[in-house]
DNA sequence: ATGTCTTTGTGAACGCGTGCACAAAGATGA
DNA sequence: TCATCTTTGTGCACGCGTTCACAAAGACAT
């Protein structure tokens, strides 16, 4: 998960649990697919399968939105698409700025899935003067000096940070001061923001480390043989490139 | 959050809660920073602040790893770095392949933070014959036909998918069949994999939609004023910039 | 109309994660 | 050696999220 909001006393927003909110986009995507194939209705079972979740969970999630299903039939696809879109705030336009147009920033700018759901790239901002004016994904990059003006002029409330880690907090502060209240952070740093500002982070490195943990565990289990009492975790394959020297690389510094 | 493993009966891996595992990389990053500044020890309070979490939570997390602290003093930075690295499986080398070298794939390949923690880009794979041989981030892109051989030869167990959504499941199947047991998926699709294979997803679109939800809610609260009995669960309803045309864009199809 | 059959919506139980609060551990100084 | 002071490690309670299981709702056929 590259997710994680910063702070927030678990204030269940308007009665809709945070976990449910995080799944609504998933349902919406599955529903959009059905809609394109002109499927009129879906059962909770079918939709749940498409979204990769439990059907009971899906029904409970939808129950927070209201009673939009028909017993014995299922859910009307178009209607549900609309209801979820409205709930997520996608019936309006969200201008977004991307700050830090390097490798990642440029990829994000080129990302088509951006505009598809009400998100519009209002501006690309970079601190490098050499980049100012350069078109990326059809949009001319603007210099950081313009940041406040851009935010203000476009009524931007969502900012994406893809600068190096060292610049992230500073950029964040400027964004917030200029009026941005939601930030998607790709830089590997913990951002501190005032109350009322939401931060979500996407951290590739963390994701890989979590995978490595489970990978190691799988390999270890296999090595340990199946003397475990329960066959819950299957044997799986051989450890990857693991000639993990016999703990030979313990740092010299020991605790006490 | 762009996170979410697929399936898995909440099998608490080796006694370490999943939530804790997800935070270990965060602690590790904070500790690495301290280590570079040659700080010998940290208290749970200081480290927690650096990692952006609660100190009690941090102490509880560490308690799952063992008793590595010294009461009255704190934790030895170097020692803790080693212990967490070992726990996460970062003391060994993890060869990784990236499949789909487009905008995003190329950015990922160029990402420096990759190699820093034991992850090594073993190969870049793309289906486009025109890309074969082209160097990206100093590595020659290889054609999809070689996928199985590459996985096998390098003992790759972690794969990154950054192909278009339509190709993701197919690529996933091939990776898994070739021996990959952990996948980081950037394509906006639900991947289905056999038991024993971990999938984590990073989904920009979902992150933005979650931010939009809260953004809409904030706007609604502000618009509603403070006439509510408690500022916790506001009336809402008053959509923000919603000139929600007299429901003019409600789909024609209604439920019942 | 009435019965059957499908599927929703939800009450209830359970487990995980979080945070409080404090006893125990150990360092440090006299 | 003993007292004091800091900080860890954890028991405990609480709330959120998940899942089960089923009653109620409605479609559809007869
Ligand atoms: N590339 C990836 O796949 C990847 C993956 C995960 C995380 N990240 C993170 O995303 C960030 C960007 O990665 P990248 O590979 O694109 O780096 P990059 O060096 O290619 O791009 C960074 C860009 O930010 C600009 N910049 C620097 N300081 C700035 C400031 N104060 N204001 C505005 N712009 C500024 C630079 O001019 C540069 O164009 C890094 O923090 C990196 O750790 C990247
Ligand atoms: N660019 C972004 O910032 C971004 C953000 C979020 C998600 N994504 C997702 O990441 C994926 C890649 O995005 P992108 O912008 O890099 O797209 P892209 O079109 O630039 O790149 C896709 C690459 O995948 C290759 N490819 C296609 N089918 C393949 C196959 N079967 N096997 C191997 N390679 C194959 C193509 O040749 C191409 O080089 C998409 O699913 C996109 O939705 C991208």
């Amino acid at each position: 998960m590259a997710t994680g909001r910063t702070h927030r006393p678990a204030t269940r927003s308007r009665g809709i649990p945070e976990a449910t909110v995080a799944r609504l986009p998933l349902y919406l995507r599955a529903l959009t697919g059905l809609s394109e194939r002109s499927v009129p209705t879906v059962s909770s079972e079918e939709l749940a399968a498409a979204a990769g979740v439990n059907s009971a969970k899906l029904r409970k999630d939808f129950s927070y939105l209201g009673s939009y299903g028909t017993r014995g039939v299922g859910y009307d696809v178009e209607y549900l698409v609309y209801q979820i879109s409205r709930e997520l705030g996608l019936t309006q336009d969200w201008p977004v700025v991307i700050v830090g147009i390097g490798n990642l920033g440029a990829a994000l700018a080129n990302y088509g899935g951006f505009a598809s759901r009400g998100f519009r790239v209002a501006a690309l901002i970079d601190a490098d003067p050499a980049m100012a004016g350069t078109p990326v994904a059809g949009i001319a990059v603007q210099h950081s000096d313009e940041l406040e003006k851009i935010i203000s002029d476009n009524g931007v409330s969502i900012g994406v940070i893809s600068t190096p880690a060292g610049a992230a907090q500073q950029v964040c502060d400027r964004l917030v001061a200029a009026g941005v209240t939601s930030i998607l952070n790709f830089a590997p740093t913990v951002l501190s923001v005032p109350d009322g500002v939401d931060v979500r982070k996407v951290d590739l490195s963390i994701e890989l480390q979590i995978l490595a943990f489970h990978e190691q565990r799988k390999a270890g289990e296999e090595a340990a043989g199946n003397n475990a009492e329960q066959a819950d975790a299957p044997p799986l394959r051989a450890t990857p490139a693991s000639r993990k020297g016999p703990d030979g690389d313990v740092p010299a510094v020991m605790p006490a």
Side-chain angles (χ1 to χ4, degrees), chain A residues 99-105 125-128 131 144 162-165 167 171 186-188 204:
Chain A
V99 186
I101 313 303
N103 287 308
L104 182 61
I125 303 176
D126 200 288
D128 185 354
M131 292 208 63
S144 304
S162 53
T163 65
V171 167
F186 284 87
L204 173 62

Side-chain angles (χ1 to χ4, degrees), chain A residues 100-158:
Chain A
I101 313 303
N103 287 308
L104 182 61
L108 295 176
N110 275 298
Y111 181 45
F114 237 116
S116 68
R117 287 246 163 265
F119 299 100
R120 181 172 47 83
V121 178
L124 305 179
I125 303 176
D126 200 288
D128 185 354
M131 292 208 63
T134 308
V136 171
I139 302 176
V141 174
Q142 295 178 266
H143 190 265
S144 304
D145 292 348
E146 311 288 329
L147 191 146
E148 286 76 11
K149 179 169 163 49
I150 295 167
I151 302 291
S152 171
D153 287 359
N154 294 276
V156 174
S157 54
I158 301 178

